[in-house]
Structures are given as structure tokens and as C-alpha cells.
Amino acid sequence: MPELPEVETMVRDLKKKVLQRTFLNVWTDAPKLIKKPKRFADFEKGIKRKRILEIYRRAKNIIFELSGGCSLLVHPKMTGHFLIGNWSLTDNSWHAEKRGPMKEKVNSYIHMMFWLDKGPMLALSDLRKFAKVELWRTEELKESEYFKSLGPEPLEKEFSFKIFKDIITMTRGKIKPVLMNPKVIAGIGNIYSDEILWRARLHPLRDTRSIKEKELKEIYNNIKKVLVSAIKLRGESISDFRDPQGKKGFFDTERRVYQREGEKCRRCGSIIKRLKVGGRSAHFCPHCQSN
DNA sequence: ACTAGCCCCTGGGAGC
DNA sequence: TGCTCCCAGGGGCTAG
């Protein structure tokens, strides 16, 4: 499940491989993934012959800044990830493939394929087809209500303890869903919120208004520590996340609570429990993370 | 102002 | 072995 570290891993790899290259063509068998513009023909027309000038991450979005004042935004949601491959489809086989299922899928979950000039192609794999693909005017995207609504980036220098403290104390609710809310802080999802709270020794259901300064400091420090460490390890692959080369991440070695229900806490030996909050499962140690 | 629930989707696990 | 049922989950949305 791509969260900030997995999306950051994809962006860093993509920058090495596809920067300055030009979109020649695009294919999909799941046009519903494309939310903007509404018609695939318009999307196709809009992306063709555009060169990739920059690639960056905002929250869990991957944004390709293109020539001609366009930006391609991809939110991978649950199972989306980019793959870079040397599938040698010539222009002729592309036309053949257009009429039927792709024969050269390296992965049967590829639902979008981008042909680039020179070298390997770019594919979007998405088992559950939840991903969001949008083509924007760059200016409009940067000024969009959506961008403005996103919370701060937790790894930016500007994300000080004071800012963190202010937004958490301002946001009422249970700490786990608050941490996961992209409008509060960008990029933290179910896995990393569980891991952060275990390290900070806070119960996922703690009311934000009851959290003391010292505890806030623990959460703040562990947000940075966990995310930085996960990026170094190239993300998690408990889910089906793979990097653009199709390789797994190594965060599993650092996993302490997520999907460890019934197993022993690595700190105190108590049995890890699971509960539901905000429609998501929260994993925690009932001894270390008392409410 | 909250929160619970629904929806999109599909593989995998459980139960029979 | 194979069928059916149910669940997970990001995030936007609605309904209570």
C-alpha cells in the first residue's frame, strides 16, 4: 500500500529513468482510472508529444510536470505502482495490441502503458484499479483547492514541532485517523500510522486534546524517524508494492505492529491487538500503548 | 462539528 | 478440489 515512503521511492527512481523524455502514446484497458479530462481521447491528445520536465511528490501523489504547461498527476491509492520496462513493442505491435489484450504484460495488473521516446516504457500496475490519473494545466493544479487542502509535508524543514503541535491540537478526534488524514498531514497511511504510534507509545484511539506536550514530541520525532528509515529501506512490501524495477522494499525488518495481531510485542512481549477505527484496522500493543 | 458507512475493485483466505 | 462468501483499504462522499 503506497504511502509517503513508497511514493517517494517511485519518484526518485522515475527521475533517474524518465526525466526529459517525451510521451509518444498511451494505452489503457481501464479508462475509469482517468478522472480528468473525462474523455480518454482528450487525455491522449493532451499527453502526446509532451516532455517530462520534472517529477515530484505531493502527499501520496506523483506529479509529472510536462512541457506545454501540463501536469500529469497519479495517485496510486491502494495498489497502484509504476513499472519501468523494456517491453519492445514497436509501433506496429502497438496498433495490434490496441485491438485486444496486451500480450506482453510483465504483470497482468498493468492497466496503463505510456510509450516514451528512447528507451524503456512506463507502465501503471494497479491490482484494484483504485488509482487516480489526472491531466491538469500546471498553473491550475498548483492553485487548485485540492493542493491547498493538503496538510504539510512531514519531511520538509518547515514542518517544525510548533507547526505539528498546532495542527494536532487544532484537530479534534482520535490520533490514528487524525495522523492518516491527508488534510492534516500529508502522506501517512495505515501502516506507518500504526508504526509511528507504537514507537511513540500512544494508543490509536487517544483523543488529540488529551495528548501532552511530551507525547506530542514523541509522535513528531517518530513520524520523521519512521518515514526517513522507510525511504532508506525503499518502502514496505507487505502489500503488493514493488518499486519501478519490480523489486520489493525492505521495511518489513522494521515492522513492529502492522498486521502482527496475536503476535508478541517486540518491546514487552504482550500480545498485539487489532481494532477498527475510521473503517481501518489499527494494530497496537495494549500494554505499551495504554489509552 | 463529528462520525459511521458506502463506494470504487479484486485476490486471498475461510468455510463448506 | 472447487465453489461461495467476505474482507481489506485511500479517500471522497453522503447521511445521520
Side-chain angles (χ1 to χ4, degrees):
Chain A
M1 159 170 52
E3 299 182 29
L4 187 152
E6 291 75 31
V7 178
E8 186 63 29
T9 300
M10 286 193 266
V11 165
R12 290 182 185 184
D13 286 3
L14 290 172
K15 283 177 92 157
K16 287 181 201 158
K17 299 287 171 69
V18 300
L19 221 48
Q20 295 306 325
R21 293 175 58 202
T22 300
F23 286 106
L24 298 179
N25 217 334
V26 57
W27 166 91
T28 185
D29 66 352
K32 280 171 83 176
L33 298 182
I34 303 162
K35 317 288 180 195
K36 186 182 163 75
K38 289 194 179 82
R39 290 174 58 236
F40 177 71
D42 295 331
F43 178 82
E44 188 178 24
K45 201 177 161 191
I47 201 166
K48 272 189 189 177
R49 290 179 298 279
K50 300 290 194 307
R51 193 157 50 95
I52 303 169
L53 304 178
E54 183 56 281
I55 305 171
Y56 64 97
R57 181 186 61 75
R58 178 71 176 102
K60 296 173 189 165
N61 297 287
I62 300 167
I63 297 120
F64 299 78
E65 211 170 290
L66 309 178
S67 59
C70 292
S71 284
L72 173 68
L73 176 147
V74 178
H75 191 305
K77 297 282 182 82
M78 298 292 297
T79 53
H81 57 262
F82 277 107
L83 291 168
I84 296 165
N86 273 307
W87 311 299
S88 54
L89 288 183
T90 65
D91 215 36
N92 281 340
S93 62
W94 146 248
H95 287 296
E97 294 296 346
K98 217 173 172 180
R99 293 190 293 268
M102 306 252 318
K103 283 173 196 148
E104 300 191 33
K105 280 183 189 177
V106 287
N107 157 337
S108 58
Y109 309 125
I110 288 177
H111 294 299
M112 285 194 86
M113 190 71 97
F114 299 89
W115 278 261
L116 300 165
D117 65 335
K118 298 175 281 185
M121 300 191 288
L122 193 55
L124 180 64
S125 168
D126 186 13
L127 187 151
R128 294 202 181 148
K129 296 189 209 166
F130 280 3
K132 174 175 88 174
V133 177
E134 295 175 340
L135 191 60
W136 287 76
R137 297 294 310 163
T138 298
E139 275 178 37
E140 281 174 26
L141 177 64
K142 290 191 170 169
E143 297 298 315
S144 66
E145 286 306 311
Y146 173 60
F147 257 32
K148 284 183 200 160
S149 76
L150 292 170
E153 285 293 332
L155 296 184
E156 295 282 309
K157 280 184 199 121
E158 297 77 42
F159 186 67
S160 63
F161 176 63
K162 190 193 175 308
I163 286 175
F164 172 72
K165 185 182 156 185
D166 287 351
I167 56 173
I168 295 297
T169 46
M170 249 171 48
T171 313
R172 279 181 283 178
K174 299 174 179 76
I175 188 62
K176 158 110 174 163
V178 166
L179 283 182
M180 284 177 65
N181 185 345
K183 308 223 177 314
V184 177
I185 302 171
I188 301 173
N190 210 23
I191 298 175
Y192 294 107
S193 58
D194 276 1
E195 296 297 323
I196 289 161
L197 290 172
W198 181 85
R199 284 160 177 78
R201 301 177 192 240
L202 260 92
H203 195 284
L205 299 184
R206 267 295 284 280
D207 188 315
T208 50
R209 285 168 295 182
S210 79
I211 303 177
K212 297 177 183 68
E213 173 107 0
K214 207 178 156 187
E215 295 173 312
L216 278 173
K217 191 88 196 173
E218 279 296 309
I219 305 176
Y220 174 79
N221 289 339
N222 280 294
I223 286 174
K224 299 220 175 204
K225 264 193 220 168
V226 169
L227 297 179
V228 166
S229 137
I231 291 171
K232 275 190 190 142
L233 294 165
R234 303 183 57 77
E236 58 77 27
S237 289
I238 306 151
S239 65
D240 77 330
F241 175 71
R242 298 294 181 272
D243 71 18
Q245 289 73 241
K247 298 216 166 65
K248 291 188 180 190
F250 304 101
F251 184 76
D252 219 33
T253 57
E254 297 300 311
R255 186 164 55 98
R256 295 293 179 266
V257 275
Y258 182 75
Q259 283 195 3
R260 291 194 69 241
E261 186 189 14
E263 294 176 43
K264 284 184 179 173
C265 171
R266 296 257 166 86
R267 203 159 42 203
C268 75
S270 302
I271 300 302
I272 301 297
K273 291 252 189 294
R274 182 166 73 120
L275 55 79
K276 272 258 189 201
V277 53
R280 302 293 176 259
S281 52
H283 310 77
F284 66 104
C285 169
H287 179 252
C288 301
Q289 296 168 261
S290 54
N291 203 340

